[in-house]
Short mmCIF file of all heavy atoms in Angstrom, two decimals:
data_model
loop_
_atom_site.label_atom_id
_atom_site.label_comp_id
_atom_site.label_asym_id
_atom_site.label_seq_id
_atom_site.Cartn_x
_atom_site.Cartn_y
_atom_site.Cartn_z
N LEU A 73 68.55 -105.74 -107.42
CA LEU A 73 68.66 -106.53 -108.63
C LEU A 73 68.27 -107.99 -108.40
O LEU A 73 67.59 -108.62 -109.24
CB LEU A 73 70.09 -106.47 -109.19
CG LEU A 73 70.62 -105.07 -109.51
CD1 LEU A 73 71.94 -105.19 -110.27
CD2 LEU A 73 69.63 -104.24 -110.28
N GLN A 74 68.59 -108.51 -107.20
CA GLN A 74 68.22 -109.85 -106.85
C GLN A 74 66.68 -109.98 -106.70
O GLN A 74 66.08 -110.95 -107.12
CB GLN A 74 68.93 -110.28 -105.57
CG GLN A 74 70.40 -110.52 -105.74
CD GLN A 74 71.10 -110.77 -104.40
OE1 GLN A 74 70.61 -110.42 -103.33
NE2 GLN A 74 72.25 -111.40 -104.48
N GLN A 75 66.09 -108.94 -106.08
CA GLN A 75 64.65 -108.93 -105.89
C GLN A 75 63.86 -108.43 -107.12
O GLN A 75 62.65 -108.59 -107.15
CB GLN A 75 64.32 -108.00 -104.69
CG GLN A 75 64.90 -108.47 -103.34
CD GLN A 75 64.29 -109.76 -102.86
OE1 GLN A 75 63.16 -110.01 -103.08
NE2 GLN A 75 65.11 -110.55 -102.22
N ASP A 76 64.60 -107.89 -108.09
CA ASP A 76 63.97 -107.32 -109.24
C ASP A 76 62.94 -106.24 -108.87
O ASP A 76 61.85 -106.12 -109.49
CB ASP A 76 63.29 -108.38 -110.08
CG ASP A 76 62.96 -107.92 -111.54
OD1 ASP A 76 63.72 -107.08 -112.02
OD2 ASP A 76 62.01 -108.41 -112.07
N ASP A 77 63.33 -105.45 -107.84
CA ASP A 77 62.38 -104.50 -107.33
C ASP A 77 63.19 -103.37 -106.61
O ASP A 77 63.91 -103.65 -105.64
CB ASP A 77 61.41 -105.12 -106.33
CG ASP A 77 60.37 -104.14 -105.85
OD1 ASP A 77 59.78 -103.44 -106.69
OD2 ASP A 77 60.14 -104.11 -104.60
N GLY A 78 63.10 -102.16 -107.09
CA GLY A 78 63.84 -101.06 -106.52
C GLY A 78 63.87 -99.85 -107.42
O GLY A 78 63.41 -99.97 -108.60
N PRO A 79 64.30 -98.76 -106.98
CA PRO A 79 64.29 -97.50 -107.79
C PRO A 79 65.13 -97.60 -109.05
O PRO A 79 64.72 -97.10 -110.12
CB PRO A 79 64.82 -96.46 -106.83
CG PRO A 79 65.59 -97.18 -105.80
CD PRO A 79 64.86 -98.46 -105.63
N SER A 80 66.29 -98.26 -109.01
CA SER A 80 67.11 -98.36 -110.22
C SER A 80 66.49 -99.30 -111.23
O SER A 80 66.56 -99.07 -112.43
CB SER A 80 68.50 -98.85 -109.84
OG SER A 80 69.21 -97.93 -109.07
N VAL A 81 65.84 -100.34 -110.75
CA VAL A 81 65.15 -101.25 -111.70
C VAL A 81 63.98 -100.50 -112.37
O VAL A 81 63.81 -100.62 -113.59
CB VAL A 81 64.55 -102.49 -110.87
CG1 VAL A 81 63.71 -103.34 -111.78
CG2 VAL A 81 65.68 -103.28 -110.29
N ASP A 82 63.22 -99.73 -111.61
CA ASP A 82 62.14 -98.97 -112.20
C ASP A 82 62.62 -97.93 -113.20
O ASP A 82 61.99 -97.72 -114.24
CB ASP A 82 61.33 -98.27 -111.09
CG ASP A 82 60.45 -99.23 -110.32
OD1 ASP A 82 60.41 -100.45 -110.62
OD2 ASP A 82 59.79 -98.76 -109.33
N CYS A 83 63.70 -97.28 -112.84
CA CYS A 83 64.28 -96.23 -113.74
C CYS A 83 64.72 -96.86 -115.08
O CYS A 83 64.45 -96.32 -116.13
CB CYS A 83 65.44 -95.56 -113.01
SG CYS A 83 66.30 -94.33 -114.02
N PHE A 84 65.41 -98.00 -114.98
CA PHE A 84 65.88 -98.66 -116.18
C PHE A 84 64.73 -99.06 -117.04
O PHE A 84 64.72 -98.88 -118.30
CB PHE A 84 66.77 -99.86 -115.81
CG PHE A 84 67.06 -100.77 -116.98
CD1 PHE A 84 67.90 -100.30 -117.98
CD2 PHE A 84 66.55 -102.05 -117.03
CE1 PHE A 84 68.17 -101.15 -119.07
CE2 PHE A 84 66.87 -102.85 -118.12
CZ PHE A 84 67.70 -102.40 -119.13
#
Side-chain angles (χ1 to χ4, degrees):
L73 301 191
Q74 290 173 339
Q75 298 293 326
D76 197 30
D77 185 47
S80 294
V81 174
D82 285 358
C83 176
F84 170 68

